Amino acid sequence: MQKIKSLMTRQGLRSPQESVHDLSPIESFRIPSKEELREVCEEPTDPQAQQEIINSIEEVYFSNDSFDIVKYELERLPPVLNLQELEEYRDKLKQQQAAVSKKVADLILEKQPAYVQELERITSLQTGLQLAAVICTNGRRHLNIAKEGFTQTSLGLLANQRKRQLLIGLLKSLRTIKTLQRTDVRLSEMLEEEDYPGAIQLCLECQKAASTFKHYSCISELNSKLQDTLEQIEEQLDVALSKICKNFDISHYTKVQQAYRLLGKTQTAMDQLHMHFTQAIHNTVFQVVLGYVELCAGNTDTKFQKLQYKDLCTHITSDSYIPCLADLCKALWEVMLSYYRTMQWHDNHDQDEAAAVSSVADGSNVIGTEENSFDRSYVKKKLEHGLSRIWQDVQLKVKTYLLGTDLSNFKYDDFIFVLDVTSRLMQVGEEFCGSKSEVLQESIRKQSVNYFKTYHRTRLEELRMFLENETWELCPVKSSFSILQLHEFKFMEQSRSPSVSPSKQPASAISTTVTLFEQYCNGGNPFEIQADSKDDETEDVLASNGYESDEQEKSAYQEYDSDSDVPEELKRDYVDEQTGDAPVKSVSRETLRSRKRSDYNLNKVNAPILTNTTLNVIRLAGKYMQMMNILKPIAFDVIHFMSQLFDYYLYAVYTFFGRNDMYESTGLSSSRLRTTLNRIQESLIDLEVSADPAGTLTAAEERKEKVPSPHLSHLVVLTSGNSLYGLAERVVATESLVFLAEQFEFLQPHLDAVMPAAKKPFLQQFYSQTVSTASELRKPVYWIVAAKAIDYEQMLLLMANVKWDVKEIMSQHNIYVDALLKEFEEFNRRLNEVSKRVRIPLPVSNILWEHCIRLANRTLVEGYANVKKCSNEGRALMQLDFQQFLMKLEKLTDIRPIPDKEFVETYIKAYYLAENDMESWIKEHREYSTKQLTNLVNVCLGSHINKKARQKLLAAIDDIDRPKR
């Protein structure tokens, strides 16, 4: 390769790069003429072929300017040279060069107009530069002339003017220094006036001025004095900030915040404020409790001041507990109200600032606006986080106070007041920060459960004492009596009742509720003890002598047949108490009169029938509900104890008036009632006479929760026939129980609203299994009266003397029918006598008549079953007697249909049945006793049943009787 290069050098040949470098700058950048370019371009070529040739050029040729093409091509030569191949390769390179040259020529022709235009701009620029050079030359010449014409006098005037200006500035500085020397007096005055923003503003301006004149020696001492003054202002500002915690004042707080903003310590102020609130809570509760402890101690001993707050609370006496609690909550309310108003101030202030920023659309103060926005955001978050922290401190302080004293021996009203105050405080907490006050709830729940167990045990013992001393006399109350009139249920009128429809709610209840903070923001305190007058609290529910007025008392026992004095609505068969509408079915005048006779109220006012004990149970229920309403976490315990009050009253009425083995054996008693009574006896009644010393602790605890069975007062006589075996007392007892059940039904929505969801099945079972059985107790109670009021044994004796195997049909009934009807008339008379003492409601009179008629009819069947011989005519006589009895009986009572009428008629008519029909009849009618069925078969023997059929029927009766044994 070196030989080839040397050969090229000798022949004067050079590489393309070297040829280019030898050209002059003008020659190297000479642009080919249009003719040359046109010649190149006019060569007939195929564009696609040209492009393929260019694309076939190796990439290395386009790498950079320092690329040595000759060296590259020589290095590529094969070791053995072939002339033909070299010429072909050379032709290829020439074609590539021609293609590139043509492409370059095309591009130059394309850019030729732009080149010409740019060349013209350069020529124009050269002309402008020449003109500028002329102007600069003229300007320099004129400046030289002005410089030569400027005199020394003019410069002297300027120098004197400058001295004058310096002296004026010096005089102003001296006056400022003099003013700074007198600033401390004005600062003291402003601090006394509590004008903290003005004082800080003045102090900062003085500091700024002092830093301007710090080159004067007299200023250095003043600067340090101003710094001390500023620190003093900050200390006083911190004291002023602490006053906000107990008594928030808008103007005062505005000044304090403005002062801190001037200091640039808005965030620091907020941190300090929360520390002051925490300290204020501690100091407040300690001072309140300490004051009461020292007051009760009666001496000025300072040992109490050294005690911890928790130990101090244990020294509170029972007498001072409630007023101290009220004062404690009032003081804490003031602290929380101040915090609430502080937040309110910041909210209003932020809104005003945001409005001011939006109204000024100037971006020159963006940095300051962002800084203020950050401060506002910090303050807002700090205040929001402080809510729960402050409320937690309040809860802990009150919890310590609540648990510091044993409340189990407090009076009920006092304990309810404690619950009320605590509930109000929890309401404050919920409005304050949305807290559920778990700490307070748990502490008051402990006290409540402890108190309520003791209280309920005492109340059950009192109820037993009341029941054992109860003479079951009517307690006269007004016909308009409602439990809501009792003081114990006043709280239900204050809270929205679940049973009241929204349409009946007052307008104030529908409107948006006002929070305690909004209500007492400008004054007052929700924990003020209100000394309500007892006369205003309770409405007089008692009626004089049991009547609403003297006129009613005079007309109470007057007979009445006229309908003119009866309101139209009372003439209806049924009136809806809620809507006042009556059903479409009309009632005849005769039915109305019969109903009057059946309801033994003798025009007495339709007042509730209840006793003093009933009122006491209702009042107890009201007290229990008060406690439950205030403290909902123990709602289940309270409702459970309320149910025990009702259970014990129900059990006592049953034990006193309804326990009867004969009635149980009739199968008329409700299985639900029997189940309820057994449950009450097992869970609530202590049947053991004395405690078993060897009994387990668990058994002792169970007995502790039970109450001994009550005993009827010896003053209540239930054996006198003249009083219908204590019917008046029985009516008062059972109807007072029914009235009590109605009141519990009325309270069910309220109880259901506070009962936990998991415990609601208990409440539903209590109402369905116990409360609803109260009216069922009427039947066993009045069955005893019905069983003794009429001499059924005498009737059986009279029926035994009747001859039933007569041969002719009789037209006259037997004498026992008259005797029985006479018994019923006497029963009706005595019933009227009792109704003069106690109003006998229609359901009661119906049950009494039903029992008596049912017993009479069953006695008739029993009498017919005792007959030894009977003919067809005798059976007809039985039907005649029974029809006579029914006819006369229907005039005495309006009960339709007559109870057990078919029971008697079916038995009489069974005598006429054939053998096969008799067997089917016996299998279908199992309501008759074995004796009655056997007698029926024996009486039929000989008339239309033979001995073989008799044996068959007796076997059928025995088969029926076998499962009963």
Side-chain angles (χ1 to χ4, degrees):
M1 184 177 289
Q2 294 296 331
K3 291 180 180 180
I4 293 173
K5 282 190 174 184
S6 61
L7 180 61
M8 290 173 65
T9 304
R10 284 198 299 271
Q11 292 179 358
L13 297 175
R14 289 178 291 179
S15 66
Q17 290 87 348
E18 292 173 352
S19 300
V20 171
H21 291 309
D22 291 343
L23 295 175
S24 65
I26 297 175
E27 290 176 340
S28 62
F29 289 98
R30 183 181 70 83
I31 303 301
S33 65
K34 290 184 179 181
E35 289 76 11
E36 295 175 346
L37 293 173
R38 193 175 294 111
E39 288 177 1
V40 176
C41 292
E42 285 178 355
E43 294 179 7
T45 56
D46 183 6
Q48 185 174 0
Q50 290 291 334
Q51 186 62 37
E52 289 178 357
I53 293 172
I54 293 173
N55 292 339
S56 65
I57 299 175
E58 296 182 23
E59 291 291 335
V60 70
Y61 285 98
F62 302 102
S63 58
N64 50 44
D65 295 338
S66 61
F67 177 64
D68 191 346
I69 300 171
V70 175
K71 181 180 178 181
Y72 174 73
E73 291 296 339
L74 291 176
E75 287 177 350
R76 290 187 59 189
L77 291 175
V80 180
L81 298 176
N82 187 330
L83 180 61
Q84 184 178 354
E85 290 178 357
L86 288 176
E87 288 179 350
E88 290 177 357
Y89 186 67
R90 183 190 63 184
D91 294 340
K92 179 182 177 182
L93 290 177
K94 284 183 178 182
Q95 287 178 358
Q96 289 177 346
Q97 182 182 12
V100 171
S101 299
K102 186 173 185 312
K103 185 70 175 177
V104 171
D106 290 342
L107 292 175
I108 291 173
L109 284 177
E110 183 181 345
K111 301 295 182 181
Q112 181 69 22
Y115 166 74
V116 174
Q117 184 179 0
E118 189 66 24
L119 192 61
E120 291 176 355
R121 287 181 64 250
I122 291 173
T123 305
S124 175
L125 180 62
Q126 184 177 9
T127 305
L129 289 174
Q130 290 174 354
L131 179 62
V134 173
I135 293 172
C136 288
T137 303
N138 293 334
R140 287 178 179 177
R141 186 173 68 252
H142 287 94
L143 283 174
N144 287 329
I145 294 172
K147 182 178 179 181
E148 292 173 358
F150 197 71
T151 60
Q152 185 67 31
T153 306
S154 299
L155 291 174
L157 289 172
L158 291 174
N160 291 334
Q161 179 65 21
R162 182 171 177 274
K163 286 182 180 179
R164 182 174 179 275
Q165 293 295 334
L166 290 173
L167 291 174
I168 291 174
L170 178 60
L171 181 61
K172 186 176 180 181
S173 299
L174 291 174
R175 288 174 179 170
T176 303
I177 293 171
K178 183 179 181 182
T179 304
L180 290 175
Q181 295 290 348
R182 299 177 180 176
T183 304
D184 56 343
V185 178
R186 179 57 186 155
L187 284 174
S188 300
E189 293 176 355
M190 296 178 81
L191 289 177
E192 290 179 1
E193 297 170 358
E194 296 186 348
D195 184 10
Y196 303 109
I200 292 174
Q201 184 71 35
L202 179 59
C203 193
L204 291 176
E205 290 177 356
C206 290
Q207 279 189 327
K208 185 177 180 181
S211 63
T212 305
F213 303 113
K214 60 183 179 182
H215 50 281
Y216 297 107
S217 58
C218 61
I219 292 298
S220 59
E221 182 180 352
L222 177 63
N223 206 1
S224 61
K225 186 177 180 181
L226 286 173
Q227 186 62 36
D228 295 340
T229 304
L230 191 60
E231 292 176 359
Q232 181 184 355
I233 293 173
E234 288 189 29
E235 292 176 1
Q236 292 194 19
L237 199 57
D238 190 56
V239 174
L241 187 63
S242 66
K243 295 178 182 179
I244 298 296
C245 300
K246 293 185 179 180
N247 187 16
F248 183 86
D249 181 76
I250 293 179
S251 60
H252 181 75
Y253 188 69
T254 303
K255 290 179 181 179
V256 172
Q257 282 296 323
Q258 288 176 351
Y260 273 110
R261 181 171 295 184
L262 289 172
L263 290 173
K265 296 184 177 181
T266 305
Q267 298 181 17
T268 305
M270 197 48 55
D271 296 338
Q272 287 294 111
L273 182 63
H274 280 80
M275 289 177 57
H276 288 313
F277 268 107
T278 303
Q279 191 65 29
I281 291 172
H282 175 75
N283 293 341
T284 298
V285 297
F286 188 85
Q287 290 301 323
V288 170
V289 176
L290 178 63
Y292 276 92
V293 170
E294 291 180 344
L295 181 66
C296 296
N299 54 37
T300 57
D301 193 354
T302 58
K303 66 177 183 178
F304 295 117
Q305 297 180 357
K306 300 177 182 179
L307 293 176
Q308 293 290 329
Y309 173 71
K310 183 177 181 180
D311 299 329
L312 196 64
C313 291
T314 59
H315 289 79
I316 290 289
T317 62
S318 299
D319 295 336
S320 61
Y321 185 86
I322 288 179
C324 181
L325 176 62
D327 287 347
L328 195 67
C329 291
K330 283 194 283 187
L332 290 172
W333 162 260
E334 294 296 338
V335 175
M336 288 187 287
L337 179 62
S338 295
Y339 195 90
Y340 171 81
R341 295 185 67 186
T342 302
M343 288 191 68
Q344 201 175 39
W345 184 93
H346 280 280
D347 289 340
N348 297 335
H349 186 69
D350 290 349
Q351 291 176 4
D352 295 342
E353 279 199 353
V357 170
S358 61
S359 63
V360 179
D362 184 10
S364 59
N365 196 21
V366 176
I367 297 176
T369 304
E370 290 180 354
E371 185 177 352
N372 290 337
S373 177
F374 177 77
D375 286 343
R376 287 200 302 271
S377 176
Y378 177 84
V379 169
K380 185 176 181 180
K381 290 181 180 178
K382 189 75 175 178
L383 287 171
E384 289 174 352
H385 292 162
L387 283 171
S388 55
R389 175 182 161 189
I390 287 177
W391 175 240
Q392 188 68 13
D393 290 344
V394 171
Q395 280 193 96
L396 292 174
K397 297 299 181 184
V398 178
K399 173 193 174 183
T400 304
Y401 181 81
L402 288 174
L403 299 179
T405 304
D406 183 12
L407 307 181
S408 60
N409 296 320
F410 270 40
K411 294 179 181 178
Y412 174 80
D413 290 337
D414 292 341
F415 187 76
I416 283 294
F417 183 84
V418 173
L419 290 185
D420 192 28
V421 170
T422 310
S423 176
R424 180 63 63 90
L425 187 61
M426 287 191 284
Q427 181 186 352
V428 169
E430 187 168 0
E431 294 177 2
F432 186 66
C433 62
S435 170
K436 297 300 180 183
S437 308
E438 290 83 0
V439 175
L440 274 180
Q441 284 194 20
E442 181 60 24
S443 60
I444 202 64
R445 191 192 68 80
K446 289 181 181 178
Q447 288 282 31
S448 297
V449 171
N450 182 35
Y451 174 84
F452 201 69
K453 284 184 178 179
T454 306
Y455 180 80
H456 177 63
R457 177 67 190 178
T458 307
R459 298 291 80 76
L460 278 179
E461 290 292 341
E462 284 183 1
L463 179 57
R464 182 170 72 92
M465 182 187 68
F466 278 126
L467 289 169
E468 291 183 345
N469 290 279
E470 179 62 67
T471 57
W472 303 102
E473 294 290 336
L474 185 66
C475 177
V477 293
K478 295 180 180 180
S479 60
S480 61
F481 170 75
S482 168
I483 61 173
L484 296 178
Q485 297 167 357
L486 299 175
H487 166 58
E488 287 78 6
F489 290 92
K490 286 293 181 183
F491 74 94
M492 291 176 62
E493 295 180 356
Q494 298 170 2
S495 61
R496 180 172 179 175
S497 173
S499 61
V500 179
S501 63
S503 61
K504 296 181 181 179
Q505 287 291 331
S508 58
I510 300 175
S511 60
T512 306
T513 55
V514 179
T515 64
L516 293 174
F517 287 97
E518 293 172 349
Q519 184 178 353
Y520 296 98
C521 185
N522 297 321
N525 196 300
F527 297 99
E528 290 287 349
I529 300 178
Q530 298 177 355
D532 296 332
S533 174
K534 293 290 182 183
D535 295 336
D536 297 335
E537 285 177 348
T538 309
E539 182 181 334
D540 182 17
V541 297
L542 298 179
S544 58
N545 301 325
Y547 303 96
E548 299 285 341
S549 63
D550 294 338
E551 288 76 8
Q552 290 175 346
E553 184 175 3
K554 291 176 183 178
S555 62
Y557 300 101
Q558 294 176 355
E559 296 289 341
Y560 61 101
D561 291 325
S562 173
D563 293 338
S564 60
D565 58 340
V566 180
E568 286 297 323
E569 58 187 17
L570 295 181
K571 296 178 185 177
R572 301 172 185 169
D573 185 27
Y574 167 79
V575 178
D576 192 323
E577 293 180 0
Q578 295 180 349
T579 64
D581 297 333
V584 178
K585 181 181 177 181
S586 61
V587 183
S588 64
R589 181 182 296 270
E590 190 62 34
T591 305
L592 181 62
R593 285 204 180 95
S594 64
R595 181 159 299 138
K596 290 179 186 176
R597 290 195 296 271
S598 299
D599 192 356
Y600 292 85
N601 58 4
L602 294 181
N603 197 23
K604 219 174 201 181
V605 176
N606 195 19
I609 297 176
L610 66 159
T611 65
N612 287 326
T613 305
T614 317
L615 271 179
N616 283 329
V617 173
I618 293 173
R619 290 183 186 276
L620 273 180
K623 290 181 178 180
Y624 283 25
M625 287 187 66
Q626 271 185 300
M627 187 178 297
M628 176 179 61
N629 190 58
I630 294 172
L631 195 64
K632 292 180 176 57
I634 65 166
F636 171 71
D637 298 317
V638 176
I639 293 175
H640 176 62
F641 291 148
M642 277 182 66
S643 69
Q644 288 186 349
L645 295 176
F646 186 86
D647 288 348
Y648 197 69
Y649 194 92
L650 172 69
Y651 186 82
V653 173
Y654 170 75
T655 305
F656 293 166
F657 303 105
R659 179 173 286 171
N660 188 281
D661 296 334
M662 289 179 61
Y663 178 77
E664 297 292 335
S665 64
T666 61
L668 298 175
S669 61
S670 165
S671 60
R672 185 174 62 166
L673 179 60
R674 290 197 303 271
T675 303
T676 299
L677 291 170
N678 290 335
R679 177 190 61 77
I680 295 173
Q681 183 170 300
E682 291 174 2
S683 62
L684 188 61
I685 307 302
D686 184 9
L687 299 176
E688 298 182 25
V689 178
S690 60
D692 183 8
T696 61
L697 182 62
T698 306
E701 287 295 325
E702 289 180 356
R703 287 201 59 213
K704 193 175 180 181
E705 295 179 359
K706 294 184 177 182
V707 189
S709 180
H711 302 286
L712 183 64
S713 171
H714 66 278
L715 298 176
V716 180
V717 179
L718 303 179
T719 56
S720 173
N722 293 330
S723 64
L724 275 180
Y725 305 95
L727 178 60
E729 289 80 1
R730 293 175 190 273
V731 169
V732 172
T734 54
E735 298 315 299
S736 65
L737 175 64
V738 171
F739 177 78
L740 185 62
E742 291 172 354
Q743 306 317 304
F744 269 75
E745 291 282 0
F746 169 73
L747 296 174
Q748 184 178 6
H750 302 272
L751 300 179
D752 189 67
V754 296
M755 178 67 109
K759 301 292 185 179
K760 285 190 177 182
F762 167 81
L763 185 64
Q764 295 168 357
Q765 184 179 8
F766 168 66
Y767 273 93
S768 61
Q769 299 294 330
T770 305
V771 177
S772 61
T773 60
S775 59
E776 296 179 12
L777 201 60
R778 286 169 170 163
K779 288 189 176 182
V781 170
Y782 298 129
W783 189 90
I784 299 173
V785 175
K788 296 180 178 179
I790 294 176
D791 192 352
Y792 304 102
E793 295 295 331
Q794 178 65 24
M795 189 174 66
L796 287 174
L797 293 175
L798 292 174
M799 292 178 71
N801 295 328
V802 177
K803 186 178 180 181
W804 298 103
D805 55 348
V806 294
K807 301 300 181 181
E808 58 183 16
I809 296 177
M810 306 296 291
S811 61
Q812 181 64 32
H813 61 273
N814 286 302
I815 192 172
Y816 75 88
V817 177
D818 295 330
L820 182 58
L821 289 171
K822 190 175 181 181
E823 288 283 337
F824 272 102
E825 289 173 357
E826 179 63 19
F827 171 73
N828 191 26
R829 185 191 64 79
R830 285 187 287 176
L831 205 57
N832 278 286
E833 290 295 326
V834 173
S835 67
K836 294 178 181 179
R837 288 180 53 199
V838 177
R839 177 177 64 86
I840 300 179
L842 181 60
V844 176
S845 65
N846 285 343
I847 289 176
L848 282 168
W849 277 100
E850 181 185 343
H851 279 330
C852 289
I853 296 170
R854 194 181 300 278
L855 286 170
N857 285 336
R858 291 179 178 268
T859 304
L860 286 173
V861 172
E862 188 66 22
Y864 296 150
N866 291 333
V867 176
K868 302 299 182 183
K869 294 180 181 181
C870 182
S871 60
N872 290 338
E873 292 79 2
R875 284 291 169 181
L877 181 58
M878 288 180 185
Q879 288 182 326
L880 176 63
D881 291 345
F882 186 61
Q883 293 301 321
Q884 178 68 18
F885 171 68
L886 291 179
M887 183 180 66
K888 296 291 185 181
L889 183 64
E890 287 177 352
K891 294 180 180 180
L892 291 175
T893 179
D894 61 341
I895 293 182
R896 302 292 184 275
I898 297 298
D900 282 351
K901 175 183 176 183
E902 293 80 6
F903 184 78
V904 180
E905 291 177 340
T906 304
Y907 187 79
I908 295 173
K909 293 176 181 178
Y911 176 81
Y912 303 105
L913 296 174
E915 177 186 339
N916 294 332
D917 294 335
M918 178 74 75
E919 184 177 359
S920 301
W921 184 90
I922 288 172
K923 292 179 179 178
E924 291 173 359
H925 292 78
R926 300 190 178 190
E927 66 269 21
Y928 298 102
S929 66
T930 304
K931 173 193 170 185
Q932 293 167 351
L933 295 173
T934 304
N935 179 266
L936 180 63
V937 173
N938 291 331
V939 168
C940 294
L941 178 65
S943 59
H944 55 282
I945 294 179
N946 55 34
K947 290 185 178 181
K948 184 178 180 182
R950 174 179 173 272
Q951 293 299 327
K952 182 179 179 182
L953 293 173
L954 289 178
I957 294 172
D958 189 59
D959 290 340
I960 295 173
D961 185 55
R962 190 175 292 114
K964 298 180 182 178
R965 298 175 193 164

